[in-house]
Amino acid sequence: MKVLIADDEPVSRRLLQSYLQKWGYEVVVAADGSEAWRLFEAGDFPLVISDWMMPGLDGPELIAKIRSSARGNYVYTILLTARAQKEDVVAGMEAGADDFLSKPFDRDELRVRLRAGQRIIDLEQHLRETEAALAEQRKIVESLRQAGASGREDEPQP
Amino acid sequence: MPDQPRVRTMACVGGISLERGVPLEDLQEYLHDAENVLWMDVQNPGPDERAMLVEEFGFHPLALEGTAQEPRRPKVEEYKGYLALIACSALPGEADDDATLAAVDLFIGRNFVVTLYRGPVPAIDDGLARWTRGGQTLREGVGALIYALLDALVDSFVPAIDRVEDEINEIEIAVFTRPPEESLRRLLRLKRSLMALRRVLYPLREVFSVLLRPDPPVPLRGTDIYLRKVSDHVLRILDVLDTEREMVAGALEATLTVSSNRLNNTMKTLAVITVAMAVVGSVFGAYGMNFEAIPLEDAAWGFWAVAVGTIGLVGLAVLLGSWRRWW
């Protein structure tokens, strides 16, 4: 799974990158919010981890932009920040973040939260595929019904 | 069967992430970066664990000798590259229990702390929880971990001291209602507990004075202010201990006074009985003498009149005295 990491702090960025790569994620890093947005537009990232305070676009702004972009698939976002007050958690979630972790974060906690995010993405993907299959089936049924109706019209009247 | 050794490790990497269960083979990698802080907790250390500590951290075998044993006088010793600090924790107990203490050895380096102790010491887990919840203070390096551990160890004495105070208050009331032997036994036990607590808390002041000196032996960064708070807490606890010692001394004095009063009352009662018997005895003694003429000698009811009269009058006087509280 591709993950976009946006953090202006090099140590934090490097650490996150090494953890996620160790856990089998494909990682792309951005040094600020604007770069993260450019990378997000250019690529396909179902999971985004963003720092709160960054030059250019900050974390909540980046997440708000991601939410407003007309992407087909759902993007799971985690806000990672040094802020730990309840009101910060609320503000972060209000901005559209799915999860919130305060620094210093627990490595194992990050791992399980990522796994939870991955489950949601997989479920959403599965739901979309099922919906697409259902739409396909509906189309087939519709075309069969139309074929049946036109066949009845062609039959000679007694 | 001796308790099984248990080694736990936790690292704060760059003040950004916390990693539990650092593999022993990676220790040096973590210790290499000064921005990382490593905590190793060794419960019930055996020869293998001590050898591992000598190998991984370069501790002097003499510094490890006697660690995690009986509670010892807290002190701090400086070795090359690390400090060996002896601290103590009070273990949780029931209301009437003696204060139970456990020795905790801390080895503190520029970016690591190793804790050694025997048996479960809840204050260590409390300290770890405080450290991991420290938020931004974790960026202050090893000082944040030292603060969290020492704060938890010092705080562990508070319930023990509260228990002593509650028991003193209870005894102060019981002194007048219960047998003095029971109060004395409890007070002497409390005195022993207070002495034991004082013995381990008093030297902690010196430990803090070493940690908080102008050129601290370990990099404290901005955490010296927190350690000062813990040091103040130790002084406050010592003040409370002094007050409690005075309370115990006062209760002991009250118990002995009450006991002495009770003895006085018994002696008074015995003295009254003795006087009463002496009066009766002297009247009967006088009638037993060989005088020519003794009053009522010839009367048939004479003996009964003297006996009943004497005993009745003395008995009446004793009852009147008791009623009017003459003694």
Side-chain angles (χ1 to χ4, degrees):
Chain A
M1 181 174 285
K2 274 181 91 174
V3 182
L4 176 63
I5 295 170
D7 198 331
D8 61 325
E9 202 177 347
V11 180
S12 178
R13 205 166 56 228
R14 186 167 50 84
L15 206 59
L16 279 168
Q17 187 178 11
S18 76
Y19 286 158
L20 268 71
Q21 280 173 343
K22 209 181 286 173
W23 298 331
Y25 293 95
E26 195 183 325
V27 182
V28 176
V29 292
D32 56 54
S34 311
E35 188 188 350
W37 175 243
R38 277 198 302 278
L39 288 167
F40 179 79
E41 279 193 309
D44 176 28
F45 298 99
L47 228 157
V48 175
I49 301 174
S50 173
D51 187 17
W52 186 304
M53 284 170 288
M54 290 184 291
L57 277 179
D58 66 15
E61 283 170 348
L62 173 67
I63 290 169
K65 279 190 97 159
I66 290 171
R67 288 277 168 262
S68 58
S69 68
R71 286 290 174 111
N73 48 350
Y74 187 73
V75 180
Y76 192 87
T77 53
I78 299 176
L79 204 51
L80 199 63
T81 171
R83 300 177 180 207
Q85 301 299 317
K86 289 281 174 228
E87 49 267 39
D88 298 325
V89 179
V90 172
M93 304 294 255
E94 289 276 11
D98 294 294
D99 208 346
F100 188 96
L101 264 177
S102 46
K103 285 182 193 172
F105 59 86
D106 191 308
R107 180 182 59 170
D108 297 330
E109 195 180 341
L110 175 69
R111 185 168 51 81
V112 293
R113 285 184 185 227
L114 279 170
R115 206 183 291 160
Q118 198 173 343
R119 267 200 300 272
I120 289 172
I121 292 162
D122 290 346
L123 275 172
E124 196 267 342
Q125 173 82 15
H126 180 68
L127 198 67
R128 272 194 305 113
E129 282 170 5
T130 312
E131 259 180 19
L134 210 62
E136 193 65 33
Q137 296 287 326
R138 209 178 286 134
K139 259 188 210 165
I140 294 168
V141 170
E142 195 57 38
S143 61
L144 282 173
R145 194 185 291 147
Q146 279 173 5
S150 60
R152 272 198 299 277
E153 279 169 15
D154 292 344
E155 275 177 18
Q157 295 296 318
Chain B
M1 190 180 150
D3 293 326
Q4 288 299 308
R6 185 190 67 173
V7 179
R8 291 185 292 174
T9 47
M10 189 151 188
C12 178
V13 183
I16 290 163
S17 90
L18 289 162
E19 297 183 13
R20 288 163 212 275
V22 175
L24 288 180
E25 55 269 24
D26 294 344
L27 279 185
Q28 292 309 318
E29 202 182 311
Y30 281 81
L31 292 172
H32 182 71
D33 190 342
E35 289 305 306
N36 297 341
V37 176
L38 182 89
W39 172 68
M40 179 180 276
D41 180 56
V42 188
Q43 187 182 345
N44 307 320
D48 292 344
E49 287 70 34
R50 289 177 208 275
M52 177 270 290
L53 291 173
V54 171
E55 194 181 327
E56 294 292 340
F57 294 91
F59 296 152
H60 196 286
L62 274 179
L64 285 165
E65 207 172 79
T67 49
Q69 298 295 328
E70 293 292 300
R72 286 160 294 149
R73 190 179 189 277
K75 64 174 180 177
V76 60
E77 280 178 356
E78 287 182 58
Y79 289 85
K80 198 179 172 188
Y82 62 94
L83 290 177
L85 193 155
I86 302 173
C88 256
S89 171
L91 300 176
E94 296 300 317
D96 289 347
D97 283 353
D98 279 353
T100 320
L101 304 171
V104 178
D105 288 85
L106 290 99
F107 288 83
I108 304 168
R110 67 163 187 161
N111 64 344
F112 67 82
V113 173
V114 178
T115 46
L116 293 110
Y117 51 92
R118 199 156 288 283
V121 178
I124 294 289
D125 292 329
D126 184 23
L128 172 66
R130 289 177 194 207
W131 182 52
T132 54
R133 285 198 306 264
Q136 288 303 295
T137 51
L138 264 79
R139 296 196 170 208
E140 307 283 3
V142 76
L145 179 54
I146 299 170
Y147 159 67
L149 286 169
L150 290 181
D151 195 29
L153 289 174
V154 170
D155 280 353
S156 72
F157 286 92
V158 175
I161 286 161
D162 286 347
R163 278 205 306 274
V164 170
E165 191 170 341
D166 289 346
E167 206 176 343
I168 295 172
N169 289 333
E170 202 182 297
I171 293 171
E172 276 177 341
I173 297 164
V175 158
F176 301 99
T177 54
R178 308 288 289 269
E181 294 78 18
E182 189 190 319
S183 301
L184 265 176
R185 189 173 43 79
R186 290 174 77 189
L187 282 167
L188 290 174
R189 186 169 51 77
L190 285 177
K191 203 174 165 188
R192 225 174 25 242
S193 283
L194 286 172
M195 288 293 283
L197 289 170
R198 196 179 161 78
R199 220 174 7 249
V200 294
L201 280 165
Y202 205 75
L204 262 185
R205 297 179 322 157
E206 294 159 31
V207 169
F208 280 102
S209 66
V210 172
L211 289 175
L212 291 167
R213 70 188 187 200
D215 57 328
V218 283
L220 293 176
R221 298 195 197 166
T223 55
D224 55 336
I225 195 159
Y226 298 109
L227 282 177
R228 264 179 233 288
K229 194 199 95 182
V230 185
S231 175
D232 283 348
H233 196 188
V234 171
L235 296 180
R236 282 205 308 278
I237 289 176
L238 282 170
D239 284 346
V240 174
L241 279 183
D242 283 345
T243 311
E244 287 183 354
R245 248 168 38 143
E246 282 170 20
M247 284 168 79
V248 166
L252 260 173
E253 207 174 304
T255 307
L256 292 174
T257 309
V258 167
S259 173
S260 168
N261 270 347
R262 281 179 189 164
L263 184 69
N264 279 348
N265 286 337
T266 309
M267 293 305 291
K268 248 190 309 193
T269 310
L270 286 174
V272 167
I273 291 169
T274 309
V275 168
M277 293 308 289
V279 171
V280 173
S282 63
V283 171
F284 286 3
Y287 268 84
M289 287 180 186
N290 295 323
F291 289 111
E292 284 293 318
I294 292 173
L296 307 174
E297 186 184 9
D298 297 328
W301 43 270
F303 168 76
W304 294 109
V306 171
V308 172
T310 309
I311 292 170
L313 280 172
V314 169
L316 196 69
V318 169
L319 285 175
L320 189 69
S322 299
W323 177 54
R324 299 296 297 267
R325 296 185 184 276
W326 287 340
W327 48 79

